[in-house]
Amino acid sequence: MSGKQKITRLVTFLGLNKYKPTEYEFLGNRATQTPYVCRALAELLHPSEITVLATQEAERDHGEGLKDALRAANYPAPRFVPIPLGRKTSELWQQFDVMKKELRGCNGTIMLDITHGLRSHPFFASAVSTFLHAVDEKPPNLCVCYAAY
């Protein structure tokens, strides 16, 4: 990704971990310390919209904190999209379908952040991306991000 590429949609995961304030850096720019990689990416990438994929438990534990962090810095309000835990095959297919839906229908570049996702999410992200590029006439312009702690 070049430093001049505009991100239209940030799609990110939110989990159950106890997130600690961290300083994130991307393309030589540093974000304000925050426990939420989504907040840092909003500062660094200036997306027009933010989608957060989270289980009900993750939204319950961290949803308000993330909303407050984004609101305080005047970034777009996140749209929370529920995902199942993925304990059954049917739930894994639901996760696949949710990711597929959220990566479609964007008229610009999408940043898919897998930092706070479950261990299976990077594999699903790869599978969904490959699927969309194989079957869609106009697949999404997609960048994938994983922040190292």
Side-chain angles (χ1 to χ4, degrees):
M1 176 177 174
S2 72
K4 297 181 187 211
Q5 192 169 15
K6 175 77 172 120
I7 298 297
T8 301
R9 179 183 299 160
L10 171 60
V11 177
T12 188
F13 290 94
L14 189 61
L16 289 172
N17 286 344
K18 294 186 187 306
Y19 301 123
K20 296 178 184 176
T22 304
E23 189 173 271
Y24 294 94
E25 183 179 320
F26 186 71
L27 297 175
N29 297 309
R30 288 187 179 186
T32 306
Q33 260 196 4
T34 177
Y36 303 108
V37 68
C38 177
R39 163 46 179 98
L41 289 172
E43 179 179 342
L44 295 166
L45 302 175
H46 307 285
S48 302
E49 57 188 77
I50 299 171
T51 300
V52 179
L53 306 177
T55 62
Q56 290 178 334
E57 296 83 4
E59 184 176 357
R60 179 198 64 221
D61 289 0
H62 294 294
E64 288 306 313
L66 176 57
K67 287 178 195 176
D68 291 346
L70 291 166
R71 186 181 314 111
N74 203 30
Y75 295 120
R79 181 174 60 89
F80 281 82
V81 176
I83 58 172
L85 286 171
R87 291 186 176 148
K88 298 186 262 182
T89 302
S90 62
E91 290 180 347
L92 294 171
W93 280 111
Q94 287 173 354
Q95 285 182 5
F96 186 93
D97 287 340
V98 166
M99 282 188 223
K100 184 173 62 174
K101 181 179 181 225
E102 296 307 321
L103 297 181
R104 283 182 165 156
C106 183
N107 292 325
T109 300
I110 299 170
M111 174 63 77
L112 174 61
D113 166 51
I114 58 174
T115 305
H116 289 168
L118 299 171
R119 289 183 180 161
S120 62
H121 291 151
F123 297 104
F124 273 86
S126 176
V128 170
S129 175
T130 300
F131 175 81
L132 294 178
H133 280 83
V135 302
D136 286 4
E137 188 173 309
K138 291 186 175 186
N141 185 12
L142 181 66
C143 300
V144 178
C145 172
Y146 178 78
Y149 182 71

